[in-house]
Amino acid sequence: MFAVYADSFSAEDPLQGLVVGERPDPEVPDGWTTVTVKAASLNHHDVWSLRGVGLKEEALPMILGCDAAGIDEDGNEVVVHAVISDPAWSGDETLDPRRSLLSERYQGTFAEKVAVPRGNVVPKPSSLSFEEAACLPTAWLTAYRMLFVRGGLRPGDTVLVQGAGGGVATALITLARAGGLKVLATSRDETKRKRALELGAHEVFESGARLPVKVDAVMETVGRATWSHSIRSLRVGGRIVVTGTTSGPDVDDAGLTRIFFLQLEVIGSTMGTKTELASLMSMLDATGTRPVIDRTLPMEQARDGFAAMADGDLFGKVVFTR
Ligand SMILES: NC(=O)c1ccc[n+]([C@@H]2O[C@H](COP(=O)([O-])OP(=O)(O)OC[C@H]3O[C@@H](n4cnc5c(N)ncnc54)[C@H](OP(=O)(O)O)[C@@H]3O)[C@@H](O)[C@H]2O)c1
């Protein structure tokens, strides 16, 4: 079948190991099912995989892609939950130490078909297109959990979103606004700052700029480049929810003094549960809020989408269609 996959790793030039070609049809173990992919979205996870982060050499070749919306074996429109937990695990799937994301241990979604456990298939609301639904299982679900589950934010709270242009960041801005929060956002790029305002941010700032107020929480996906600004932007007792380190994980100054003196909370967050994915879809259904799509490309042109993401040249999600 047609597939977009990683054949080798390169930390410096991630696109080197990307192949748009053919792979065998997926194997379907007992209790699993096949989804025919109509749309799949790109995440930074896919670029990390090509850099050799989070993917093992012995797993190559690996079809990339965590997210998909498509048609199940009974002809239903569905969304795939990307967190694959152990069959023996019950409860919050993201806490299973043996969990993996599609495209880490099991073949991913950038293909004609993807095999997943039956329990990972969620009905797609008819109000969402396949392209919109394909944006949800990683970036949008991650943003939902950061804000409303791990971040515990309530309407009226003030939140800072770092690196406004990213897939997770645009989801954070949109969902935070729809959830009644006061939204501040930073970006390195003036055009992206303007677009963040259009998306619902109340105020935007250059990366690193001093804010006029201290915030209840910071949503951190950028890492090294923004960490110290995030710590400095929090009110006493505020919290930073961290889910990514696009600019690198090693910070020069972790701000430990500030963290203990101001009694800040540092909270990790990863993906979200299947139940949270269903709640996210209900929220979009109820509010009319929709994912921000930077560009939609036929899956055959996946390389162009990967290049834009590797260059940081995006505002919102890249969606591949079949
Ligand atoms: N833990 C999880 O479950 C989980 C789930 C999803 C994503 N993630 C992680 O979260 C991160 C974001 O993912 P994504 O898919 O949203 O990626 P993305 O679309 O590529 O977004 C990256 C954004 O980060 C900002 N950025 C990058 N380098 C920067 C720098 N040097 N200084 C300031 N800002 C910088 C940019 O914002 P501006 O250009 O606007 O400044 C860019 O738009 C990735 O590291 C990903 O691996 C983790």
Side-chain angles (χ1 to χ4, degrees):
M1 65 173 178
F2 174 83
V4 177
Y5 61 96
D7 201 30
S8 61
F9 301 137
S10 168
E12 293 75 33
D13 179 14
L15 268 69
Q16 216 177 75
L18 182 69
V19 184
V20 177
E22 292 282 322
R23 293 294 302 149
D25 278 9
E27 285 171 26
V28 189
D30 280 352
W32 287 47
T33 187
T34 306
V35 172
T36 301
V37 177
K38 301 290 287 179
S41 80
L42 182 65
N43 291 289
H44 217 96
H45 183 277
D46 304 304
V47 177
W48 289 125
S49 296
L50 288 165
R51 290 190 199 274
V53 178
L55 185 58
K56 296 195 172 74
E57 186 100 42
E58 57 268 28
L60 296 177
M62 175 61 78
I63 300 174
L64 297 170
C66 301
D67 296 347
I71 311 278
D72 73 6
E73 289 171 353
D74 300 320
N76 303 305
E77 297 189 353
V78 295
V79 180
V80 170
H81 182 222
V83 183
I84 312 293
S85 52
D86 191 88
W89 181 262
S90 61
D92 185 329
E93 302 93 348
T94 66
L95 296 177
D96 176 5
R98 291 176 54 80
R99 74 179 187 277
S100 68
L101 297 189
L102 280 173
S103 81
E104 289 175 355
R105 196 175 306 149
Y106 304 106
Q107 300 294 321
T109 58
F110 296 164
E112 279 173 59
K113 284 177 273 180
V114 59
V116 290
R118 283 187 195 284
N120 281 64
V121 172
V122 185
K124 175 181 88 60
S126 56
S127 59
L128 293 176
S129 67
F130 284 111
E131 289 83 351
E132 289 165 345
C135 297
L136 305 181
T138 297
W140 278 66
L141 178 59
T142 298
Y144 180 92
R145 184 174 170 94
M146 289 174 81
L147 289 166
F148 305 123
V149 183
R150 301 291 288 154
L153 289 167
R154 300 279 175 268
D157 288 347
T158 300
V159 66
L160 170 66
V161 178
Q162 297 281 22
V168 178
T170 50
L172 285 164
I173 293 169
T174 313
L175 289 175
R177 184 63 194 247
L181 304 177
K182 174 93 189 277
V183 186
L184 280 51
T186 67
S187 175
R188 299 164 295 177
D189 181 84
E190 193 184 348
T191 312
K192 290 187 191 177
R193 290 197 291 275
K194 282 199 184 125
R195 295 197 61 189
L197 283 174
E198 289 160 15
L199 206 58
H202 292 89
E203 287 184 85
V204 289
F205 304 89
E206 279 180 45
S207 299
R210 190 186 171 88
L211 304 183
V213 292
K214 298 290 183 196
V215 300
D216 296 304
V218 181
M219 300 295 120
E220 178 61 83
T221 63
V222 180
R224 180 186 170 90
T226 51
W227 181 265
S228 132
H229 179 252
S230 295
I231 294 289
R232 280 185 278 114
S233 300
L234 284 168
R235 67 159 167 82
V236 176
R239 63 199 85 120
I240 177 166
V241 183
V242 55
T243 198
T245 56
T246 304
S247 62
D250 300 317
V251 293
D252 295 325
D253 177 7
L256 292 181
T257 309
R258 233 181 153 84
I259 288 174
F260 74 72
F261 196 64
L262 300 185
Q263 303 192 67
L264 306 179
E265 290 178 66
V266 178
I267 300 170
S269 190
T270 280
M271 299 294 286
T273 65
K274 183 178 158 187
T275 309
E276 287 157 8
L277 179 58
S279 300
L280 165 64
M281 287 197 276
S282 298
M283 182 178 176
L284 298 191
D285 210 23
T287 59
T289 304
R290 291 292 176 269
V292 187
I293 296 177
D294 178 277
R295 68 194 77 181
T296 303
L297 299 167
M299 209 177 272
E300 288 75 8
Q301 292 172 26
R303 182 170 285 274
D304 296 345
F306 274 85
M309 177 163 276
D311 293 345
D313 178 25
L314 290 177
F315 192 86
K317 296 286 292 172
V318 174
V319 176
F320 301 137
T321 51
R322 288 283 311 151

